[in-house]
Amino acid sequence: MQKILPSALVWLVLFLAPAAALAEPLTGEQVLKQVDRNLEPGNLEMYRKIINIEPDGKRKEYVLWFLRKDKDKVVTLFISPASEAGRATLRLGDNMWLYIPNVGKPIRITSMQSVVGGVFNNADIMRLDYSEEYAVAGMGEADGQILLELKARSGAVAYDRLQMRVDKARLVPVRIDCFAATGMLIKTLHFSDIKDIGGGAVRPAVMETESPLYKGYKSVMVSANLKLRELPDEVFTLNYLPRVKDLR
Amino acid sequence: MPVWILVAVLVLGTAGTVGAETYDFAIAEAAPKPYEIGVRLEARYLHHRYDRDSAKYRLDALRGDPGAEAREWHGVVEPMFSYRRGMVKAALVTHHAYVDDGLQAGTSDDVYEGYVSLTPSPRFTLDLGKRSVLWGKGYAWNPAGFVNRPRDPDDATQNLEGRVVAGVDLIQSFAGGSLTNMGLTALVLPVIDDWANPEMGADGDVNWAVKLYLLWHDTDIDLIWFDGPSQPLSLGFDFSKNLAENIEVHGELGWRRDAVRTVVDARGQVRLERIDPLDWLLGMRYLNAWDTTFIVEYYHRGSGYRRDQLEDLFAFQAAAVERWRTTGEAASVSRARQVTEAYFSQRNPGRDYGYFKVFQKEPFDLLYVTSWIAMLANLQDGSFNVQPGLTWTPLTNLELNFRVAIPVGPAGTEFGEKPDAVRPEVWVRYYF
């Protein structure tokens, strides 16, 4: 009995320790990283439809092919409409470029500009991981959701501060309020239609945005046809941008 | 069907749409095709209201009185086709134009691009054929773009004719460190008869152009080298960097060795100078919170003409025209036209320029409208061209544009001597 007791205690500790670790609540940084993984699970390609809805109800639609590698490399290629087809954008960290086939040379663009008009800017369309651009400044709970207060890691990020509401069970964002350094609300992003959008990624397929700066306007981004895809780093370079459509 | 079933179907049918808009998740365009076909149509109308005292107008009047006003029509069809199979891609863009400038009308058919690319890996591409080449970071000018075609900065999406090249493109990325990636582009530009790069030298000449691109410390840097039997050795450098989420700065520098420049004095004596000009440009783009974009550039042309040299040229022209008027001697005007060709063939012949452009998206809540105003000034003689414009895209793939060019300046200055007093222009583009 004296021999059995210590070994039973060891087994008990070994059995309970992982459970205790599992029960420990996630930190804000862990939640944010999991949100990133759930939204974009690794190196991938997918299609995005951007719908700009004007105050009179008229719509303009753009279809983009989206490529992403690591935490800091994004390429988008305009597939339609015909007037935009062939345009491509590249993001490498804080650097962004736009290639217009007729112009023939990529030009540098900034995150606050918008290549499609509407409420989405370039930073929304070519977004990097939230945890790459923002640090968690605070975490709380509201209406049964996790509330993350995020602060930009550098001045090159489009929004100075984000307030992110996260679905507790699925760890995907439900709503994000984006603020300027002055405290002004720039826009609100709403996430909905959680479903498998391909490649086993179960996440919100629709992101809608509205902004007090664009009263009456709404922009929607629908994500679909996600596939995991490994591409060499050289695809995410300025020299390759005019040829990126050859990879589709 | 019983009424209660109908009511239930209607209620259930509407329940799903109340409060939430539904979107189509099927993206038909996601199925890639090995080929692409597209067409761009353009119709353009220009109205010239002439400044009948301007130097260029008076010289051109030798060929016949153009009158006080003229209308100009352009119609353009540009079909584009490309086909890809494995690592090989072939592309063709042709340009078919009809132009009626009031004095004469005619059509032209050109191949703008026609090439085959071989890309065995994203790190290596081989191109053969006619491709558009546009180097440099400047918006209004590209002093380091030695192989570029001239372009209109206020109509940036206009297609440009390519150059006939055999080219190789090498790319290498680096993980970590301040050098993120580099690219090397080497082009051979042969001159063959009048169909391959005829403006780059004599038949049989072979020109070379090399560009080394570096993304270093989040800054784009290009080092450019260009040389050929009939071309001055040219070295270029450019850079571009984002200073903040809404501010970009860029610059360019071009140096040419032993370039030839024509200088005409007030008596009409023509002198050919051999110079080593240094041209450079500095610029920035800024976007404010109201979606207004500002572009500012300063451009120095080492080979450009000083104010006194331009004044001499215009004085010589004026004297030639006066002689023709008083004596009827057409030969003097004919010679003036000949010797000033070197000036008028340059888009901006002066030495120091400033460019300023402001874009406003959807001004006064006008949907689908972008308004802009651009000003290009010769900083030495104080003359300038001011150009307000509008772009309206009422329907997908349809683009309507309007702009008015208004050159301003006294006699003897670059823009004061432009033939147009005012030139409104309207053009429509449709893509499918």
Side-chain angles (χ1 to χ4, degrees), chain B residues 290-326:
Chain B
W290 294 275
D291 246 345
T292 315
T293 303
F294 300 84
I295 296 171
V296 184
E297 283 186 347
Y298 168 76
Y299 175 39
H300 173 79
R301 282 187 80 217
S303 60
Y305 300 102
R306 294 189 313 269
R307 180 180 184 167
D308 58 305
Q309 289 173 318
L310 280 177
E311 282 171 351
D312 281 354
L313 173 94
F314 292 127
F316 160 64
Q317 272 188 329
V321 169
E322 198 51 39
R323 200 172 310 129
W324 171 47
R325 274 188 181 162
T326 52

Side-chain angles (χ1 to χ4, degrees), chain B residues 129-376:
Chain B
K130 197 169 187 179
R131 285 211 72 158
S132 67
V133 183
L134 200 57
W135 291 352
K137 303 287 186 233
Y139 186 85
W141 302 277
N142 292 115
F146 307 116
V147 291
N148 292 7
R149 299 264 184 197
R151 66 193 174 92
D152 179 351
D154 299 320
D155 184 10
T157 56
Q158 195 173 37
N159 265 340
L160 288 178
E161 188 178 356
R163 299 278 189 198
V164 175
V165 300
V168 64
D169 203 25
L170 305 169
I171 307 171
Q172 183 65 53
S173 287
F174 303 96
S178 48
L179 181 63
T180 313
N181 62 61
M182 61 188 283
L184 183 78
T185 309
L187 304 176
V188 180
L189 301 113
V191 180
I192 306 168
D193 208 5
D194 62 348
W195 68 269
N197 309 314
E199 52 296 281
M200 298 185 89
D203 186 24
D205 282 2
V206 177
N207 300 293
W208 290 82
V210 178
K211 178 165 70 85
L212 176 69
Y213 164 76
L214 307 170
L215 178 57
W216 183 68
H217 282 288
D218 288 336
T219 308
D220 294 319
I221 295 171
D222 288 311
L223 301 168
I224 297 168
W225 175 85
F226 173 62
D227 201 4
S230 312
Q231 297 292 332
L233 168 67
S234 308
L235 303 174
F237 163 83
D238 66 43
F239 77 93
S240 174
K241 185 176 177 68
N242 289 358
L243 291 185
E245 75 278 15
N246 56 352
I247 302 173
E248 180 265 357
V249 290
H250 56 266
E252 267 188 59
L253 190 141
W255 176 82
R256 284 170 292 152
R257 191 181 70 188
D258 218 15
V260 178
R261 182 174 81 149
T262 308
V263 179
V264 182
D265 68 18
R267 289 175 298 139
Q269 300 296 316
V270 181
R271 195 173 72 245
L272 286 183
E273 287 183 348
R274 292 207 163 266
I275 53 172
D276 299 336
L278 184 71
D279 305 342
W280 57 273
L281 172 145
L282 271 179
M284 71 172 288
R285 197 170 62 240
Y286 167 71
L287 175 75
N288 71 11
W290 294 275
D291 246 345
T292 315
T293 303
F294 300 84
I295 296 171
V296 184
E297 283 186 347
Y298 168 76
Y299 175 39
H300 173 79
R301 282 187 80 217
S303 60
Y305 300 102
R306 294 189 313 269
R307 180 180 184 167
D308 58 305
Q309 289 173 318
L310 280 177
E311 282 171 351
D312 281 354
L313 173 94
F314 292 127
F316 160 64
Q317 272 188 329
V321 169
E322 198 51 39
R323 200 172 310 129
W324 171 47
R325 274 188 181 162
T326 52
T327 67
E329 182 211 335
S332 58
V333 179
S334 184
R335 182 169 174 275
R337 280 175 57 86
Q338 224 172 30
V339 300
T340 56
E341 187 62 36
Y343 287 74
F344 291 120
S345 62
Q346 299 172 49
R347 189 180 135 225
N348 296 117
R351 184 157 291 198
D352 294 293
Y353 288 96
Y355 180 80
F356 179 64
K357 186 168 188 176
V358 185
F359 292 88
Q360 180 62 57
K361 268 169 60 182
E362 298 181 345
F364 313 109
D365 288 335
L366 291 168
L367 292 179
Y368 318 122
V369 171
T370 299
S371 63
W372 52 269
I373 183 162
M375 194 172 98
L376 196 158

Side-chain angles (χ1 to χ4, degrees), chain A:
Chain A
M1 185 66 191
Q2 279 176 336
K3 281 184 183 173
I4 294 170
L5 196 62
S7 63
L9 277 172
V10 168
W11 280 110
L12 192 67
V13 168
L14 286 174
F15 179 76
L16 290 178
L22 281 176
E24 199 167 303
L26 294 172
T27 64
E29 293 289 350
Q30 286 169 325
V31 170
L32 192 60
K33 283 204 165 121
Q34 198 50 52
V35 165
D36 284 331
R37 289 291 63 78
N38 291 342
L39 284 179
E40 286 173 9
N43 301 337
L44 54 84
E45 66 168 69
M46 67 171 140
Y47 285 84
R48 283 180 161 171
K49 188 188 285 182
I50 293 177
I51 308 162
N52 289 335
I53 303 167
E54 313 291 349
D56 62 0
K58 281 187 187 165
R59 293 174 170 220
K60 280 199 172 183
E61 292 192 6
Y62 303 84
V63 174
L64 283 80
W65 185 53
F66 179 91
L67 288 174
R68 174 204 151 103
K69 182 172 185 183
D70 302 334
K71 292 176 180 171
D72 62 342
K73 301 178 188 72
V74 173
V75 159
T76 64
L77 172 75
F78 284 78
I79 309 298
S80 74
S83 57
E84 314 293 319
R87 289 185 181 213
T89 61
L90 166 67
R91 180 166 189 185
L92 283 177
D94 293 333
N95 303 287
M96 292 183 191
W97 298 267
L98 166 68
Y99 170 76
I100 302 173
N102 310 335
V103 175
K105 66 171 182 178
I107 53 166
R108 242 174 208 271
I109 52 176
T110 55
S111 55
M112 290 302 279
Q113 282 176 271
S114 177
V115 290
V116 293
V119 191
F120 287 126
N121 60 28
N122 295 338
D124 299 322
I125 297 164
M126 294 185 278
R127 188 183 61 76
L128 304 180
D129 279 359
Y130 286 110
S131 57
E132 189 69 13
E133 296 193 297
Y134 296 92
V136 178
M139 185 168 87
E141 226 181 289
D143 308 325
Q145 294 164 339
I146 300 171
L147 188 64
L148 293 178
E149 292 286 344
L150 308 178
K151 177 87 176 100
R153 291 186 191 273
S154 79
V157 179
Y159 312 112
D160 179 67
R161 200 165 56 80
L162 301 182
Q163 203 171 64
M164 179 187 283
R165 285 170 182 265
V166 180
D167 181 310
K168 245 179 167 177
R170 293 171 163 134
L171 290 181
V172 292
V174 177
R175 171 189 170 127
I176 301 176
D177 293 303
C178 312
F179 298 89
T182 56
M184 181 178 73
L185 175 68
I186 298 177
K187 69 179 60 156
T188 300
L189 305 167
H190 301 274
F191 296 79
S192 60
D193 286 82
I194 296 173
K195 59 197 280 193
D196 186 341
I197 65 161
V202 179
R203 48 157 279 181
V206 174
M207 180 169 82
E208 291 174 280
T209 184
E210 66 211 11
S211 167
L213 303 174
Y214 296 86
K215 282 200 175 114
Y217 290 74
K218 189 161 87 167
S219 288
V220 181
M221 194 188 296
V222 177
S223 301
N225 298 60
L226 186 147
K227 283 183 205 158
L228 297 179
R229 186 168 181 185
E230 292 295 333
L231 289 163
D233 286 352
E234 283 74 14
V235 166
F236 300 85
T237 60
L238 211 53
N239 278 42
Y240 197 77
L241 197 54
R243 309 180 196 280
V244 78
K245 65 179 172 184
D246 301 343
L247 290 173
R248 267 186 85 216

